[in-house]
Amino acid sequence: MGKYVKKIFAGSSNPKLATKIAEECGVSLGEVSIKRFSDGEIWVKFEENLRGNDVYLIQSTNAPADNIVELALLIDAAKRASAQRINVIIPYFGYSRQDRKDEPRVPISAKVMMDIFIKAGADRVVTMDLHSTQIQGFSSKPVDNIYGSLVLMPELEKHFKDLSSGDNFTVLIPDMGSSKLGQSYAKRLGMSFALIDKRRNAHNHSEVVSVVGELANKHVLIIDDMIDTAGTISNAAKVAKEKGALSVTVAATHGILSSNAIDKLSDDIVDSIFITDTIDNAQKIKNNNKIEVLSIASLMSEAIKRIANSNSVSDLFN
């Protein structure tokens, strides 16, 4: 095969998204076999020639950990098949919350994950809304962090125009860690913003201490990079409604939706929820009419086209 022929392959974590991305790129997904031995070990094989090709592997690394192992094996198989370049597309980068040594005797898990993929043979990593942008520095290879706001922002603009013709909107930042993200949304959407001072007393458990900003008679947008157990989001929504908010809209790039998150978000305190399809949650949310899933396929396909043609990826942000 000729040098740099573009080929896209899907892991098993999110094949629907991978199919959409390939279609947007004007190609079909490449043929790859992924099987399990009787003891649960993973076996992969590319069913077509990769020699000299520009290979793109699409795999979110959300739980279970099999998704991580599977991606590492796909990378290694592509390298041993003499692919010219191996580009790893990770819409959701798992373990990204563990990005620093914040107490004794703990790992920097995000660094471990990045080491796995780079050591396996990845030449480039493309991901979306890393929990911390410093994770890009954990890699000796290029890492492109695409902004989920490019997908969420247009839909949120339409949503709030439908809610009211006035200017009674505010972005509620659910914790200090989301302040930069929330302020960027407030600026782009022309909204005021408020902040919740939250104390985390254990993993996946937090407590609201105080609120800075006005929420009464406002249509409130709560923005975060991910919704995991929805504890932070539901607490913030409760505070907003208690402070007199007219409506509460939640938006996040990654809908992890673990534990009883769906039940929390089904409460009357939340009116609308926008997430993207970085994680395949079709079965979890099929009966929830509040949740609207926006596809990142066009955005990721554009990034792939730019990489394949050696054009600027950062121009996407403009």
Side-chain angles (χ1 to χ4, degrees):
M1 299 294 291
K3 189 177 181 180
Y4 293 133
V5 171
K6 178 173 61 183
K7 290 188 176 182
I8 302 175
F9 297 89
S12 57
S13 71
N14 201 340
K16 293 179 182 177
L17 173 60
T19 299
K20 291 179 183 178
I21 292 173
E23 289 174 351
E24 292 280 351
C25 287
V27 299
S28 299
L29 281 177
E31 293 185 26
V32 59
S33 296
I34 301 173
K35 300 178 182 179
R36 297 287 191 279
F37 289 108
S38 58
D39 63 355
E41 289 185 3
I42 302 168
W43 177 88
V44 304
K45 180 185 178 183
F46 290 98
E47 300 291 356
E48 52 190 84
N49 187 9
L50 302 185
R51 186 175 298 275
N53 292 164
D54 195 11
V55 173
Y56 297 82
L57 306 176
I58 301 174
Q59 175 88 318
S60 284
T61 54
N62 51 291
D66 279 6
N67 288 329
I68 296 166
V69 176
E70 183 180 289
L71 178 56
L73 294 178
L74 286 169
I75 295 169
D76 186 73
K79 179 178 68 174
R80 296 178 189 280
S82 300
Q84 184 69 35
R85 293 192 303 186
I86 302 171
N87 306 279
V88 181
I89 313 298
I90 309 176
Y92 171 70
F93 192 99
Y95 289 86
S96 62
R97 283 171 286 184
Q98 302 174 48
D99 59 358
R100 63 195 181 280
K101 193 173 186 291
D102 55 355
E103 56 182 294
R105 299 175 298 279
V106 298
I108 304 178
S109 303
K111 174 68 162 59
V112 175
M113 294 302 107
M114 192 67 79
D115 284 346
I116 289 172
F117 305 136
I118 299 303
K119 293 293 185 181
D123 296 302
R124 189 182 202 102
V125 174
V126 181
T127 187
M128 176 165 280
D129 276 357
L130 283 168
H131 190 67
S132 174
T133 55
Q134 72 188 38
I135 294 171
Q136 292 174 282
F138 293 165
S139 170
S140 59
K141 300 291 185 178
V143 177
D144 296 305
N145 183 33
I146 310 298
Y147 299 154
S149 59
L150 297 172
V151 173
L152 291 167
M153 196 78 73
E155 294 302 318
L156 290 173
E157 286 179 332
K158 295 176 187 176
H159 173 71
F160 283 102
K161 283 181 181 178
D162 291 340
L163 283 179
S164 173
S165 58
D167 59 355
N168 56 334
F169 307 112
T170 193
V171 172
L172 177 58
I173 301 168
D175 56 33
M176 291 299 293
S178 304
S179 59
K180 186 175 181 180
L181 177 66
Q183 288 182 53
S184 68
Y185 270 80
K187 182 178 179 181
R188 288 278 302 277
L189 294 170
M191 297 180 178
S192 61
F193 69 90
L195 172 67
I196 287 180
D197 182 13
K198 183 187 73 171
R199 298 288 187 269
R200 186 175 294 278
N201 46 41
H203 294 300
N204 298 124
H205 292 282
S206 59
E207 179 183 0
V208 174
V209 177
S210 61
V211 180
V212 179
E214 182 60 45
L215 299 177
N217 299 313
K218 299 278 190 178
H219 293 286
V220 172
L221 168 63
I222 300 175
I223 189 74
D224 212 340
D225 63 322
M226 64 176 69
I227 304 174
D228 187 359
T229 63
T232 295
I233 296 294
S234 61
N235 286 339
K238 287 176 184 175
V239 169
K241 285 295 179 76
E242 288 170 359
K243 296 291 184 180
L246 298 175
S247 69
V248 173
T249 298
V250 172
T253 302
H254 309 298
I256 302 172
L257 305 177
S258 61
S259 186
N260 62 339
I262 297 293
D263 293 334
K264 292 177 183 177
L265 295 173
S266 298
D267 200 304
D268 291 338
I269 57 171
V270 176
D271 299 287
S272 301
I273 304 161
F274 293 86
I275 58 175
T276 74
D277 57 353
T278 57
I279 296 173
D280 185 5
N281 277 319
Q283 292 303 311
K284 286 185 180 180
I285 66 176
K286 63 181 180 180
N287 295 321
N288 194 313
N289 296 324
K290 291 184 181 181
I291 300 178
E292 182 171 350
V293 180
L294 308 176
S295 182
I296 65 165
S298 294
L299 187 58
M300 280 298 186
S301 69
E302 182 60 28
I304 288 173
K305 291 174 186 176
R306 288 171 181 268
I307 293 167
N309 295 324
S310 298
N311 293 330
S312 171
V313 175
S314 62
D315 280 350
L316 276 173
F317 310 146
N318 298 322

